Amino acid sequence: MWGTQSVTSCSTATTNHKGEVVMAIIANKGNDVGVCSCNLQTLEVELMQYTDQPTLPCTLTLIYQLGVADVVLPATSIETDFIRLLRKNVGDSVTFLSLARRDFNEVCGLRYITHLSCSD
């Protein structure tokens, strides 16, 4: 039941209303990307892992199609080329939030999602 879903196509995401989805992203230097998205209205969670191209078409497609409001990432990745390019492409339409890497885990993530879903 729990695990990682491998995404081979960039166009598999469904469209949601803007502001309902929080996404956590982690990427390495080889553009292997791990994504966890949570719809705050339905509490539906999707886990994805894929290798993106240098221009980030899969990641950008997911952000736009899911209607992501916030992207949570480890503080150590803020200054990476991947995140710089991501921020440049999405502009002010998405809020980027960073957590210390030690806090980038399921307990803190669940606490953050609970806080967001109760703040309406």
Side-chain angles (χ1 to χ4, degrees):
M1 180 175 188
W2 297 99
T4 303
Q5 176 183 352
S6 178
V7 176
T8 56
S9 171
C10 295
S11 60
T12 59
T14 58
T15 302
N16 290 312
H17 299 289
K18 177 74 175 144
E20 295 179 354
V21 177
V22 174
M23 179 181 281
I25 299 177
I26 192 161
N28 65 18
K29 292 181 182 178
N31 282 348
D32 294 324
V33 182
V35 173
C36 178
S37 64
C38 179
N39 183 310
L40 298 176
Q41 298 299 315
T42 64
L43 295 180
E44 178 183 17
V45 173
E46 292 183 65
L47 299 173
M48 292 158 265
Q49 182 177 1
Y50 53 89
T51 301
D52 212 345
Q53 299 297 316
T55 57
L56 314 181
C58 290
T59 305
L60 291 169
T61 299
L62 280 173
I63 288 172
Y64 289 122
Q65 286 188 339
L66 292 175
V68 173
D70 298 313
V71 171
V72 181
L73 36 98
T76 56
S77 69
I78 292 289
E79 296 302 320
T80 62
D81 291 339
F82 179 90
I83 298 302
R84 279 192 212 109
L85 184 58
L86 192 62
R87 292 178 89 158
K88 178 182 174 186
N89 280 285
V90 298
D92 294 334
S93 65
V94 173
T95 303
F96 287 84
L97 308 164
S98 64
L99 293 173
R101 189 168 285 275
R102 71 176 180 276
D103 295 329
F104 201 75
N105 62 54
E106 65 185 74
V107 173
C108 291
L110 179 60
R111 192 176 306 131
Y112 180 72
I113 289 171
T114 303
H115 170 74
L116 286 176
S117 63
C118 294
S119 64
D120 289 342

